[in-house]
Amino acid sequence: MSLITVLQYAAWFYLPNHATRWLLGYLHVVYERLTGRPRPAAGTPQYVFHYRMTYLFCATVYLLFGLYKAATTVEPNYYELLGLAPTADEGMVKAAFRQFARKYHPDRVGPQGEAFFIEIRDAYESLKSPTKRFAYERFGPDALKWKQCTTLRDCLHHGLLQATGFYLVSLSSLIFFSFLNSSPVSFWRYIMLAFTAIYELLFILKSTPGPASTTTISSVLFTDPATGVHTSFLTFFWPQRVAYQHILFLHNLWVLGCFALSNIVPIVFPAPPPELQEMLVLKEATQIATLSQMLSRETQALLNTLYHSVHGPRTGTSPSTGTFPYLGPLPSGTGGAPPDAIVRLLAPELEHLILEAQMRDNGPLQSACEHAVERRRRKEDAAGRAGRSMARANGLAAHATWQNGGAVQGVPARRIGYVRGRSRSLG
């Protein structure tokens, strides 16, 4: 990180405040001329509102400037130097280097172009090797110096180990500053860091662009790793850049976001002063105490009402004729507790109340009871059908016996014989 970048981040603690005070003076002059009213005095609610809005404007402008610097100061990659797209194959890389060599070889342009030619030659040597190209696209030019990494697996393992360094330092810094000064935006810093890590991991693990997949999922943030055309906002704005350049921009974006949140949120959404915080805590504690007392009184009234409901001849006490829900405290037994007879009579009633409540709230008890009733009903229906079938069978058997001349209980036997007579058709 250069000194200019450090000063740019350090300016967050001075530049927005200074620019706000300077701009607010001019805005109040315009306010007086347009409205004919005097400018609001310092410390008044109107002045505080004007200051917050002006500070928000200045901080937003400075944040956009930081994003612009982070986006435009990225060094060009080897594809851009060769005039190729990141999806170029080995043949296209070789053809581009030959065309470049014919035009910019030191024998043609002189010694002054030797350094630039060597840089492009190194780019070509890196891009024609699949392993070096894989490591370069994800971890930058430093990955070309990893002599111990000979396979894609070695490059990926070594690169991920180096990538964790940024997050270990960032996480340690967040924890340290959280202990020094607790801020309501600390949580959002951790969330931003987590999203940065996830997005960086997606860029690192993204496979080399190839034939388009058949997936229909599309997202603004995430891309299909098997396609050469990406839909994320980074590759949409900078399609010629590779993964390590996007990762560097993500790191700058996270740092800028932390500084912006730390400076904008306390001004635009200030915390109440300590005196007001104490008053709010005291007010909440008073409300809780009042609610507790009301709950205690309502509970005592309910218990006394239930105790009174079982008074009468069954307990040997005189029944109350009052019609109010609360009839006053009951006579206490030993140690101030209710009489044992009242408790023994009240316990079954409370059990019934609990069971009724469980039956009404569509809970598991109601479901179990409904299933038991349904099973009993089906069993009774089956028994009724079996009884009717048996009665029908007995009736059929008795009828057959009677038809054959047998005796059936309560019915005389039928006499079988011929009936003497003449058919009318025979005359």
Side-chain angles (χ1 to χ4, degrees):
M1 185 179 292
S2 63
L3 179 61
I4 296 178
T5 305
V6 174
L7 294 177
Q8 178 183 342
Y9 291 142
W12 273 100
F13 299 100
Y14 168 76
L15 188 59
N17 285 309
H18 179 74
T20 299
R21 289 192 294 267
W22 176 80
L23 182 60
L24 189 59
Y26 286 97
L27 291 178
H28 281 165
V29 171
V30 175
Y31 176 80
E32 289 179 341
R33 294 180 179 179
L34 293 179
T35 63
R37 302 175 183 175
R39 66 178 61 187
T44 59
Q46 189 176 12
Y47 180 87
V48 172
F49 176 77
H50 290 173
Y51 185 87
R52 290 177 183 172
M53 295 299 102
T54 308
Y55 183 89
L56 179 61
F57 172 77
C58 295
T60 303
V61 171
Y62 190 62
L63 175 62
L64 295 177
F65 170 76
L67 293 176
Y68 173 78
K69 293 287 293 183
T72 56
T73 55
V74 178
E75 296 182 357
N77 57 55
Y78 290 161
Y79 295 103
E80 293 173 320
L81 293 177
L82 291 174
L84 296 172
T87 56
D89 57 13
E90 185 177 355
M92 297 174 64
V93 173
K94 185 181 296 186
F97 178 73
R98 289 177 178 175
Q99 183 179 1
F100 174 84
R102 286 195 297 267
K103 186 176 182 180
Y104 294 101
H105 195 275
D107 296 340
R108 291 179 175 272
V109 299
Q112 65 273 13
E114 183 177 0
F116 181 62
F117 180 80
I118 293 176
E119 181 181 3
I120 300 302
R121 185 188 63 188
D122 294 340
Y124 168 69
E125 294 293 334
S126 301
L127 295 181
K128 74 177 184 179
S129 171
T131 303
K132 290 184 178 181
R133 181 174 180 176
F134 177 88
Y136 168 75
E137 288 180 351
R138 287 153 180 81
F139 307 108
D142 293 338
L144 303 179
K145 304 176 183 178
W146 299 346
K147 304 300 182 181
Q148 73 279 12
C149 300
T150 57
T151 63
L152 298 181
R153 185 183 182 89
D154 295 338
C155 294
L156 186 61
H157 181 265
H158 190 74
L160 288 175
L161 287 179
Q162 287 200 345
T164 56
F166 171 80
Y167 295 97
L168 290 177
V169 174
S170 301
L171 186 61
S172 302
S173 302
L174 290 181
I175 295 174
F176 176 74
F177 286 113
S178 297
F179 276 112
L180 288 182
N181 183 20
S182 179
S183 174
V185 300
S186 300
F187 170 78
W188 295 107
R189 296 196 197 107
Y190 290 106
I191 294 297
M192 290 171 55
L193 183 63
F195 272 100
T196 303
I198 293 173
Y199 209 7
E200 178 174 350
L201 191 63
L202 289 175
F203 272 117
I204 292 176
L205 299 181
K206 177 179 68 67
S207 59
T208 302
S213 64
T214 58
T215 179
T216 58
I217 299 177
S218 179
S219 172
V220 176
L221 294 179
F222 306 128
T223 64
D224 181 4
T227 60
V229 180
H230 304 288
T231 57
S232 68
F233 73 95
L234 294 180
T235 51
F236 177 78
F237 287 110
W238 303 288
Q240 299 297 324
R241 294 184 179 179
V242 292
Y244 83 90
Q245 294 174 304
H246 296 316
I247 291 172
L248 290 176
F249 179 77
L250 286 175
H251 292 176
N252 292 327
L253 183 63
W254 178 77
V255 176
L256 284 173
C258 289
F259 278 99
L261 286 176
S262 301
N263 289 272
I264 293 176
V265 173
I267 299 298
V268 180
F269 307 101
E275 297 81 5
L276 183 58
Q277 290 183 354
E278 293 179 359
M279 292 178 60
L280 293 176
V281 172
L282 182 60
K283 183 178 179 181
E284 292 180 357
T286 304
Q287 291 178 351
I288 293 174
T290 304
L291 292 175
S292 300
Q293 293 175 0
M294 293 174 59
L295 181 61
S296 177
R297 288 195 298 267
E298 292 294 332
T299 304
Q300 186 67 25
L302 179 60
L303 290 176
N304 280 285
T305 302
L306 293 174
Y307 288 153
H308 274 288
S309 65
V310 297
H311 265 231
R314 299 178 62 187
T315 59
T317 57
S318 58
S320 175
T321 59
T323 58
F324 296 97
Y326 177 61
L327 306 175
L330 288 173
S332 301
T334 306
D340 294 337
I342 298 177
V343 175
R344 285 194 298 270
L345 292 173
L346 184 60
E349 298 296 332
L350 291 176
E351 292 178 359
H352 295 161
L353 289 175
I354 293 174
L355 290 175
E356 291 177 0
Q358 292 289 335
M359 292 292 292
R360 286 195 299 266
D361 63 355
N362 296 324
L365 182 59
Q366 182 179 359
S367 300
C369 292
E370 290 177 352
H371 289 317
V373 172
E374 184 64 24
R375 286 197 301 271
R376 183 58 179 267
R377 184 181 294 112
R378 289 198 299 266
K379 189 178 297 183
E380 290 179 353
D381 293 342
R385 287 194 298 270
R388 289 192 295 270
S389 299
M390 185 177 294
R392 188 180 301 108
N394 292 335
L396 292 174
H399 182 71
T401 303
W402 183 76
Q403 288 284 345
N404 295 327
V408 180
Q409 184 178 2
V411 180
R414 180 183 178 189
R415 296 179 62 184
I416 302 176
Y418 296 98
V419 179
R420 300 178 66 90
R422 175 179 292 179
S423 174
R424 292 182 180 179
S425 62
L426 298 178

